[in-house]
Amino acid sequence: MNVRLVKPDEMTEAATLADSIFRDGEQVSMAAGFPYLFSAVTSSSFGAYGEDGRMTAFMGLLPSAVRIGASELNVFSVGAVCTAPEARGHGVAGQLLDAVKDQVAESDGDLILVSGTRSLYTRAGCREFGTIRRYMLTPEMAPALREAAAEAAQAGRSEGAQTGADASARSASQAGAGASRGTDAAGPLRCREWTRSDLPALAKLAASREVAFEQSQWDLAMLIDAQAYARCVKLGHRVYVAERGGVPAAFLVAALPGSLRPKMTPFAIEWAGEPSAVAALLAHALETAAPEKLDVLASRHDAGLAALLQKHAPHADERILGTVYVPDAARLFHRLKPYLAALQPEKAALLEAGTGAAERGIRLSYPGLDDLELDADAWIALLFDGPFLLPGEEAGADANAAPVLPEGTPAQWREALTDLFPVPFPSTSGLNYI
C-alpha cells in the first residue's frame, strides 16, 4: 500500500470515494460541501493507493489559522476520512494518520483537529477537549429573547463610556461578556436576511472577534455557500443581519430545515457582532423560519450571548465536537504567550515552558516553584478543560479562573496558573467544520 499526498489531478477521485461513503442520492458531492478540503490548491490531504494505482483510502487535511486574542495558531483539520470496503481491516487509516502527523510537524502545526472520536484517533493520542454550553431554543421563547436583547442594548448604551475604557485589558471570556456593553449605537435594530452586498461588513464583524478561525471575505462567502456541516445533516444555511441606522451590528448563520428530512436539530452555525444583536437575530430566526427547536452552542468567549440565553432557555454542557492532538506542547505554549501576556502580564512574564519528559508533554517553570511536569493528556486538560462558568454563577467564580490540573498538583502551581487557563477556543462545528 502506497501512502502519499494526493496529487492535484487526483482530487476528483478522492471526492468520488468520499461520496460513496458519506453521501446519499439527496446530498451534493463532498467536493461542493468542502471546497477547500478537496481543492488542488489548498488541501494537504493524503491517500492510500493499491498496486493498480487506484485510491483505496483518503484522509482530508486542511490548514487554517485560529486567532486567540493576540496569538495566532497554525491549525490543521482532519476530516472526510474514508476507506473503500475492500481495503478495510489492514491498518490503512492508521498509516494515513501517521503521514498526517508528519506533514503537520513539517508545517510547524500547533494543533490537529479531528472531526471524529473513534478509537483510531484516541489510540493515536487525540483527546476530547473543552466545554461548550448547548442552549435549546423554541419559537415560544422569541418574544422574551427579543425583550432581553433590547434591555441589554439599552444597558450597553448607558454603560458604554465606563466599560469601553478597560475592555482591552480583559480576557477573551470577559471581553465577550462585556461586548454587549459599550458597542451598541443608538437607534432601533432591524433584522433581515442578508444580501451579497453585506459581505464586506460581515467580514469586518467576523474579524472583530477575539477568538475565531481567520476568515477573509472570500473565505466567508465560500464557507457560507458550501454549507459544510449543514449539508452533512440535511439542513441548509440561512444568513441574517441585524442593522442599526443601515450599519450591520451582527450577523447569524443558522442551519435550518429545507426540502430534505433533517438528520439533527437545527442550530446556529456561526455569528459575530454585538451579543444583544445576535440574540435579536436568534429571536428573528425563530419567528420567521419557525423551526421546532434551534440549538445554540456557546463557547467560553461567548459569555455575553450566553448570559442573555441563560435566563430564557434550558441548557446542557458538553464537549467540543471532535478531538484534538497537540504535536509539540512547548511550541504551542510559546504560540499562546502573546494571548497570556495580554491576559495576565506579570504571571505570563514569569511562566516559561520546555519539552517535558513524557512524549509530547510539557515542563512548566515558575520562579520559586519546582518545575511542573505534565503529560500530553494533562496539558490538553489544562489548556481547554474545566466547567463552563458565567461570571456570578458561583460565588467568586470566573469563567477563566479554574485550571484543570492533576490530583496532587501543589496549591502554589494552581495559583500561578489561575486566570491564565483554560484557553478559549472557537467552535469546531462552525463554518470551518471539516
Side-chain angles (χ1 to χ4, degrees):
M1 190 68 64
N2 181 23
V3 173
R4 59 170 172 78
L5 282 166
V6 177
K7 297 177 182 178
D9 60 357
E10 295 169 334
M11 278 299 174
T12 299
E13 184 182 8
T16 299
L17 176 61
D19 287 346
S20 72
I21 304 298
F22 297 114
R23 295 307 205 209
D24 59 28
E26 293 184 322
Q27 294 169 297
V28 302
S29 171
M30 293 282 285
F34 298 88
Y36 290 137
L37 188 65
F38 289 93
S39 164
V41 177
T42 56
S43 176
S44 299
S45 301
F46 281 80
Y49 299 83
E51 293 182 0
D52 59 358
R54 186 173 61 89
M55 183 184 294
T56 60
F58 174 78
M59 183 170 286
L61 181 66
L62 186 68
S64 60
V66 166
R67 184 179 64 257
I68 301 177
S71 293
E72 184 172 292
L73 307 184
N74 294 331
V75 174
F76 286 77
S77 296
V78 171
V81 180
C82 53
T83 305
E86 66 273 14
R88 293 173 186 169
H90 300 287
V92 177
Q95 295 178 52
L96 286 169
L97 187 56
D98 288 341
V100 160
K101 289 180 181 178
D102 291 342
Q103 177 71 12
V104 171
E106 291 177 12
S107 303
D108 201 27
D110 299 310
L111 295 174
I112 300 176
L113 301 176
V114 183
S115 55
T117 59
R118 59 194 180 105
S119 60
L120 165 66
Y121 308 119
T122 56
R123 288 197 309 266
C126 301
R127 294 291 178 264
E128 295 186 28
F129 71 111
T131 304
I132 57 174
R133 180 160 292 178
R134 182 184 296 272
Y135 292 92
M136 293 154 275
L137 311 181
T138 62
E140 293 75 21
M141 300 173 188
L145 188 56
R146 181 182 293 102
E147 182 178 352
E151 291 175 355
Q154 180 59 41
R157 286 191 286 272
S158 63
E159 298 177 20
Q162 177 182 352
T163 61
D166 61 325
S168 60
R170 296 192 186 101
S171 70
S173 297
Q174 292 168 323
S180 62
R181 303 186 298 271
T183 58
D184 296 82
L189 197 67
R190 176 188 173 222
C191 298
R192 58 173 175 80
E193 293 209 40
W194 85 312
T195 67
R196 289 288 170 172
S197 61
D198 293 316
L199 185 59
L202 269 55
K204 288 181 180 179
L205 287 169
S208 72
R209 296 174 295 188
E210 292 208 23
V211 181
F213 283 87
E214 292 283 7
Q215 296 165 343
S216 69
Q217 284 192 45
W218 292 2
D219 294 329
L220 195 58
M222 182 73 80
L223 295 173
I224 287 173
D225 183 69
Q227 307 178 68
Y229 194 17
R231 280 174 162 163
C232 287
V233 295
K234 297 192 175 182
L235 295 167
H237 283 179
R238 291 182 68 173
V239 184
Y240 301 94
V241 174
E243 64 180 10
R244 191 178 288 108
V247 178
F251 74 84
L252 167 70
V253 182
L256 295 166
S259 59
L260 305 180
R261 183 178 180 85
K263 297 170 68 174
M264 68 179 291
T265 300
F267 61 101
I269 289 275
E270 198 151 324
W271 56 85
E274 302 168 11
S276 59
V278 175
L281 286 174
L282 289 167
H284 180 76
L286 287 166
E287 290 183 333
T288 57
E292 291 185 12
K293 296 179 181 179
L294 181 67
D295 286 352
V296 180
L297 277 68
S299 301
R300 298 181 189 280
H301 53 281
D302 296 314
L305 178 62
L308 288 169
L309 300 180
Q310 191 88 356
K311 303 174 183 177
H312 305 286
H315 61 269
D317 291 349
E318 58 190 60
R319 288 292 206 176
I320 293 174
L321 179 67
T323 52
V324 68
Y325 180 89
V326 179
D328 188 318
R331 181 171 63 206
L332 177 57
F333 172 85
H334 290 294
R335 282 274 162 76
L336 287 169
K337 203 67 182 287
Y339 160 77
L340 299 174
L343 193 65
Q344 291 285 331
E346 294 183 5
K347 284 187 175 183
L350 297 173
L351 184 64
E352 294 295 339
T355 301
E359 182 183 4
R360 295 183 297 107
I362 194 167
R363 184 188 70 257
L364 297 176
S365 302
Y366 198 83
L369 302 179
D370 292 336
D371 287 356
L372 179 65
E373 288 274 355
L374 299 177
D375 63 19
D377 288 354
W379 175 227
I380 290 173
L382 174 63
L383 281 171
F384 302 115
D385 289 354
F388 189 114
L389 297 175
L390 295 178
E393 276 195 318
E394 295 181 2
D398 181 271
N400 209 45
V404 174
L405 290 162
E407 186 175 352
T409 299
Q412 296 93 328
W413 263 114
R414 293 186 181 276
E415 171 59 28
L417 298 175
T418 293
D419 295 324
L420 291 174
F421 300 97
V423 173
F425 200 79
S427 172
T428 57
S429 56
L431 290 175
N432 290 77
Y433 169 81
I434 296 294

